[in-house]
Amino acid sequence: MIDLRSDTVTKPTPEMRAAMAQAEVGDDVYGEDPTSNALEAKAAQLLGKEAALFVPTGVMANQLSIRLHTRPGDEVMVEETAHIIRYEGGSASALSQVQLCCLRGERGLLTPDRIVAAIRPKDVHNPPTTLLCLEQTHNFGGGSVYPLSRIQEITKVAKDRGLALHLDGARLFNAVSAVGTSAAEFAKPFDTVSFCLSKGLGAPVGSLIGSTRENVVKLRRLRKMFGGGMRQVGVLAAAGLYALDHHVARLRDDHDNAKHFALQLQQIPAVYVDPDRVDTNIVMFEVVRSDRSTQELLNAFKDVGVLLNAVGEHRYRVVTHLDASKADVEDAAHRIGQALAAE
Ligand code: TLP
């Protein structure tokens, strides 16, 4: 089976498992886990921030950051297809009692004018707009990358108007690899920045949030409150350290494979895909001719040995990763062609 549902499906390599097995550990709630402390220090340095916090998931990283920057009744600006609104189970409203203001983006990317227009004037009727969240790369936008210049323009107008800024950088290192801007440069204008170890970087678990030392103290308390205080977590942090040391440079292979997959897929008459829109490791494509439903097609792809996800009516997402080679993605495109030919 070729599993292209997500870059979250990767399994730790033997070398990563060896690093995990040898990790020095301690009780991290007491701040005594040396490996977790080393991971946090390394993440802070990569992000150019004073400190960082290791958390179990990308969702928790986003939700702790939202909680940090807001008060109940506040409004948080997100792009309308952001992970925070689509895939986090309504947690921003459940856990922080904020409302989300959803702005239309282009492949998930916002522009400064849309943000300025949506910030509500200070008035007793209005929810205070206190936080803007951006996503890098943008998942639903097809792995699209915010150029640094756009981030700088957007964050300037938002900051000038008093908003706090959070970057959901679940796939930040894919953006770094794609355009050559450093993680620290991307992170600079943001108050909090998260990234995931458990996606393209290939670790089994974990995300980090970078911020000021003062904010990280607050985030650490919030993590405990949200049930994310972990104990001998060095076994997981070791996987993260290994991933940062060994799996960042290879992200460009995933990007090449995604582009290659899109070019192969383009040969299939029933498929619409634009390989020029493949910037990182995500490929969005549409099946434009089929009598079968989206679910029937997913089943047909599975029957020929390819797993992928649907993201809309006859719209599909493929994500390349550490455990899928160039030969695998080529094979997957071929099998998808076979499944579609059998109408
Ligand atoms: N994304 C997952 C699914 O939840 C959709 C995937 O397969 O792509 N931010 C972004 C931009 C993400 O793509 C994800 C996960 C998260 C946050 C949440 O990370 P986890 O799954 O670690 O909570």
Side-chain angles (χ1 to χ4, degrees):
M1 195 64 79
I2 306 169
D3 191 346
L4 300 173
R5 285 172 300 171
S6 181
D7 45 10
T8 60
V9 302
T10 57
K11 302 203 172 125
T13 61
E15 296 79 9
M16 184 180 274
R17 283 176 186 265
M20 295 169 77
Q22 285 149 23
E24 260 189 81
V25 296
D27 191 327
D28 187 51
V29 172
Y30 292 99
E32 291 171 4
D33 188 294
T35 314
S36 173
N37 292 343
L39 175 64
E40 289 175 346
K42 179 157 185 115
Q45 178 230 323
L46 286 168
L47 294 172
K49 298 291 183 197
E50 287 175 5
L53 183 72
F54 188 34
V55 295
T57 65
V59 170
M60 190 181 282
N62 286 335
Q63 295 307 322
L64 294 182
S65 301
I66 290 173
R67 181 62 169 253
L68 174 76
H69 296 303
T70 60
R71 301 182 63 188
D74 283 1
E75 184 167 60
V76 176
M77 283 197 191
V78 291
E79 194 276 336
E80 67 181 356
T81 62
H83 195 274
I84 285 173
I85 182 146
R86 280 187 71 103
Y87 298 115
E88 300 195 4
S91 50
S93 47
L95 303 177
S96 294
Q97 300 173 45
V98 293
Q99 74 180 36
L100 297 176
C101 169
C102 302
L103 306 180
R104 177 141 305 172
E106 199 59 51
R107 299 185 63 215
L109 309 185
L110 295 170
T111 51
D113 50 318
R114 294 210 181 136
I115 291 158
V116 171
I119 297 174
R120 298 184 196 266
K122 284 196 173 50
D123 179 285
V124 70
H125 298 90
N126 295 342
T129 314
T130 51
L131 173 65
L132 169 69
C133 301
L134 303 183
E135 190 172 311
Q136 177 81 305
T137 64
H138 201 289
N139 183 345
F140 203 79
S144 49
V145 180
Y146 267 110
L148 183 61
S149 55
R150 179 88 70 91
I151 286 190
Q152 286 168 338
E153 286 161 22
I154 289 177
T155 52
K156 178 165 186 342
V157 299
K159 214 168 243 172
D160 286 351
R161 286 157 183 79
L163 270 64
L165 298 160
H166 170 66
L167 182 65
D168 172 359
R171 295 185 179 83
L172 180 61
F173 287 95
N174 292 88
V176 169
S177 169
V179 299
T181 304
S182 72
E185 279 176 284
F186 278 134
K188 198 169 178 192
F190 293 93
D191 299 296
T192 46
V193 179
S194 60
F195 70 86
C196 292
L197 298 164
S198 55
K199 304 208 161 50
L201 297 180
V205 176
S207 287
L208 286 124
I209 318 170
S211 190
T212 59
R213 217 167 270 120
E214 195 186 338
N215 277 342
V216 169
V217 169
K218 292 181 187 162
L219 287 164
R220 202 176 287 282
R221 189 191 104 65
L222 289 171
R223 183 185 67 176
K224 190 77 184 121
M225 194 176 96
F226 279 48
M230 300 174 284
R231 303 293 180 171
Q232 286 69 30
V233 72
V235 284
L236 300 178
L241 280 167
Y242 184 90
L244 289 171
D245 287 340
H246 297 94
H247 291 169
V248 174
R250 62 151 307 284
L251 288 173
R252 81 171 72 89
D253 298 343
D254 296 345
H255 300 178
D256 291 346
N257 290 345
K259 182 78 92 179
H260 185 65
F261 174 80
L263 288 165
Q264 300 291 307
L265 214 60
Q266 206 182 18
Q267 313 298 319
I268 303 170
V271 166
Y272 174 75
V273 63
D274 184 351
D276 288 339
R277 290 192 154 199
V278 178
D279 297 330
T280 54
N281 68 331
I282 298 181
V283 181
M284 297 290 193
F285 71 92
E286 279 162 48
V287 172
V288 288
R289 269 204 319 272
S290 178
D291 293 332
R292 288 172 281 180
S293 70
T294 305
Q295 189 54 52
E296 283 168 341
L297 278 183
L298 282 177
N299 296 342
F301 298 147
K302 190 174 175 185
D303 288 344
V304 295
V306 184
L307 289 178
L308 43 89
N309 274 325
V311 288
E313 193 60 22
H314 281 309
R315 196 152 179 257
Y316 303 88
R317 183 189 78 157
V318 153
V319 189
T320 56
H321 54 74
L322 185 65
D323 292 344
S325 65
K326 184 173 182 188
D328 287 335
V329 300
E330 204 168 297
D331 194 12
H334 178 70
R335 293 185 199 197
I336 289 171
Q338 281 180 333
L340 288 169
E343 279 282 286

